[in-house]
Each structure stands twice: as structure tokens, then as C-alpha cells.
Amino acid sequence: MRRSIKKVLIANRGEIALRVIRACREMGMATVAVYSDADRGALHVLHADEGYRLGPAPAGESYLRGDLILEVARRTGADAVHPGYGFLSENAEFAEACAKAGVTFIGPPASAMRMLGSKTRARQAADAAGMPRVPGSVTGLADVAEALRVAAGIGYPVMLKAAAGGGGKGMRAVTRAEDLGAAFTAASSEAERSFGSGEVYLEKLIERPRHIEIQLMADEHGSCVYLGERECSVQRRHQKVIEEAPSAVVSEDLRRRMGEAAARLALSAGYVNAGTVEFLVDDAENFYFLEMNTRLQVEHPVTEMVTGLDLVHLQLLVAMGEPLPLTQEDVRLRGHAIECRIYAEDPENHFFPSPGLITRLIQPSGPGIREDCAVYEGWNVPLDYDPMLSKLVAFAPTREQAIDRMLRALEEYVIGGIKTNIGLFRRILMDEDFRAARIDTGYLERLLAEPAAPVQENVPEDVVALAAALFASSARRETVAPVVSEESRWAVTGRREGLRL
């Protein structure tokens, strides 16, 4: 059924909210931003056509309040809601509430979300579809006693996971029975805070696999295409750090088998819109169903770069009831894309979050560089949310060229006032194992266990001397002579500020 979408409320914050706002504007749709007290001055609020306060900074009082979000939709006349990722993006009750309110939810129907968005029910659906999966429970665990019984049956090590979400939240690896009780409590509590549901399940922990996912897009007319794979094996504590498309080790045959299996699973559940099926893959090209994310992924830009498609545009078209404008035969992969998640955290201090004022910001650019970002110089990074500042993407004809292009972009990137993980990415991208694609889900933890080589700042002495001389000269001129015009004031300020690195 065709439906009109004229105004979209983005029920999210940060770079993904800004990403959706831009796509809506390109398609002629008005936008409504919502924000917490911590985000009153955020870029997504400044860029939207309208902005409305939800409540205090804690997500439970703002971005997780579906009732408040729908009240804003009613007041503003928004006829659609885009949930982004995280928060309410995989909440079937919220999708259902949108439908009852006459607001289009830009995502899958609640029925498909319940079947596949819940990690436990998705495992049941995978079993019904005959898809190989990791051994473990197919329903949420009632208590620690049940967790102990399941773990004893499949053997340690095991992994506890949140049933209602992903992103590394609500996950705990357990190597012995004595630690399972505390891990169960911690995982359930974190899942409740992150997704509004404390349900967790348990599966066998497969050591040193690759984490590879398939991007899907399905419409209401029975069409579902897979848009290639993403390599997401570089992780820290089950949180993706670097993503690539395509994977350096996936053959055309493996891509086809994984893509067709993922599409069958989605179609069996009546799935519509963007979704991602995640797999673990071993060296023999065997793949095992892990879970399905019933939303747009953080790492969707790398797929956009290698396919030439705009996934948010496709989401909006599908939400309007339009058929997909492409078939599987139309999907072609070209080149290689790498994404680095830039975080406000201190890798040298146990990755502690580093909130605070951004006093300096010089962003990379140039050929093949894309940055999805929602921070600015003068922005105060809040402590209340995920500390991701931006997603930096490099695209090039080959993987080796993409790595070198990303290294160049990272050298250009300056964020002052807070700690970031930019230096960590330089270390990873220069590592021989990474450059040779010898990676798995334990790769980064092994790299971090090794002593890091000292970072050499490659700045020639003559450049430093010249910068100092220019700065001193600029300062003297500003002191002894008046500024004669607005143009010269900008020029002097630009030179002076450009040297304050």
C-alpha cells in the first residue's frame, strides 16, 4: 500500500539522527528532532526543521520514552518516525504503538521484529529455516539455575547475551561455572538499562571466529536483496571497532550462500526494510547464524560506499510502500571501504570515557574520505550516552589503498580538549596481521596485550621553527598595529589559530 511521508520525527540523537535528517531533506521531507537536556545544543537539533525537548539526560527519561516521542509526533503532525539504531530501534512495542497512532515506523513491522529482533526467537526462526547456528538456548533464561543447566549441557566457555539488543551491551563471556551467577546478574542489568528488557540467553563461545554480517533490504512486495557483507571482526569487548566491506576472505560462492540464507530467513518472517544478519565464519568457510539486527546498522556507510546505494533513501522509499528500485542482479560491489569508530575515550587508561569540551576540531577530508559526525568545536561531549564522536570512512579501489588512505585521514584528524582513540586506529592499521587480513574476533584483544611502540610525531624541525616564527610575527603585528579591516582581522586570526595545534 502506497503512503505519503511528508514529515519525519527522528527518535534518536548524534550522528545517526543527523544522517537521517540529511536524507529526509534530500527527499523533500520535513524533519523533527527530539533531545534531552544534555543535547539541547546538539547538531541534530540545530539541523532539523523543528526540535522538541523530551526530558532529562538519562535515556530512560528521554530517548527511551516512546510515549513522549509519540506525543511530539502528534503535536508536530509528523507522519513517520525513524528510530535510528539503539534506543527504541528494535522495540516491537514502540513499533506497534506507532502503528496504532497512525504514524509510519521506518523499519520492520512489529511482528517481524518480535520474531527476529529478539535474539532468542530469531534463533528459533533460524532453526525452522534450517540455518546452522551456534549451540545454546533458544529462549530467554529464567534464572541463574537455568543458565547453569544450559552451560553444563554445551560446555564452557559460554557467552551471555541480551535478547533485546546488541552493540556489545548485555554481553558477558564466562569460562567457568563459578562466575556464571555474577555474569548473569551483570548482563541482565546492563540489558535492562540499555534496551528496557533484562532478558538474556546463553550460547557456546566459539573462539577465534570471524564476525561477518550480511546487509539486507526488503520491501512490502516480497522482494529482498542482499547488499554484500561487512567484516566486523575487529572488536573490543564485543563492540565493533573497525568495519570493512567487502571482507578480504569471503569468496563469491560464500557471499552468495550467506546472502541467500539471510534473505530466506527474512522472507520467512515477513521482514520489511533494512536489516542485518550476523554470522560467525570459520577458516573452512562454514558459517553459523548469530543474530539478526532489525534496524539500520552503525556501520552502514561502508556498504553504501561499495554499492553506491543510499540505504536511508531506500528505507524511506520502502516505508512509503514503494517496491525496491533494484533486483539482486543489479547489486555490484566495487572497491573497498573501511570505517573507524572515533570515540571519546582514553585507550591508555583502560578506555575510560573522556567527556568534556571539544576545544579544537580539525576534520579530515580529501579524495575517498567520508565522515558521519555530529560534534563541533565548542560542543560538550556528555557522559550520559555512548561516547562515539564520529564514523570515519575511507574508500579506495583496493583494501591496501583504503588502509593507507585511512591512515592519511587519521593523521589529519585533530580533536582537542578530550581524549580519543585515534591513536589506536593508527596502531591497528599499521599492524602486519591487520594489513594481511589475519584477523578474528580476538585479534584486537591480543594486539592490546602487546606493548605498544612509541608514537613518533613525524614533524620536521624546520617546520616547527617556521611555525614558531610565524606565530611570533603574527602576535607582534597584532600588538603594535591596529587591524585596518575585517578581512585582515580574519586573515590574522586564521593564521594564528591554524598554528595552535
Side-chain angles (χ1 to χ4, degrees), residues 353-371:
S354 179
L357 183 69
I358 295 178
T359 59
R360 184 75 169 148
L361 183 62
I362 301 176
Q363 295 167 283
S365 59
I369 295 301
R370 164 179 170 176
E371 187 187 19

Side-chain angles (χ1 to χ4, degrees), residues 251-272:
S251 64
E252 287 288 347
D253 177 66
L254 180 57
R255 180 177 299 121
R256 177 188 57 78
R257 289 189 289 125
M258 293 175 68
E260 290 177 353
R264 280 197 309 271
L265 177 65
L267 289 172
S268 72
Y271 195 87
V272 174

Side-chain angles (χ1 to χ4, degrees), residues 132-134 206-214 229-233 235 247-251 253-255 257-259 277-291 437 439-442:
R133 67 166 176 83
V134 180
I206 297 180
E207 299 181 275
R208 303 190 76 156
R210 285 180 178 265
H211 184 141
I212 297 176
E213 60 190 29
I214 297 290
E229 80 281 356
R230 294 185 288 258
E231 171 77 70
C232 304
S233 297
Q235 304 177 5
S247 168
V249 301
V250 170
S251 64
D253 177 66
L254 180 57
R255 180 177 299 121
R257 289 189 289 125
M258 293 175 68
V277 180
E278 302 194 349
F279 297 94
L280 296 180
V281 180
D282 63 23
D283 291 338
E285 293 197 346
N286 298 308
F287 60 91
Y288 305 91
F289 174 76
L290 191 59
E291 62 186 34
I439 56 176
D440 57 67
T441 56

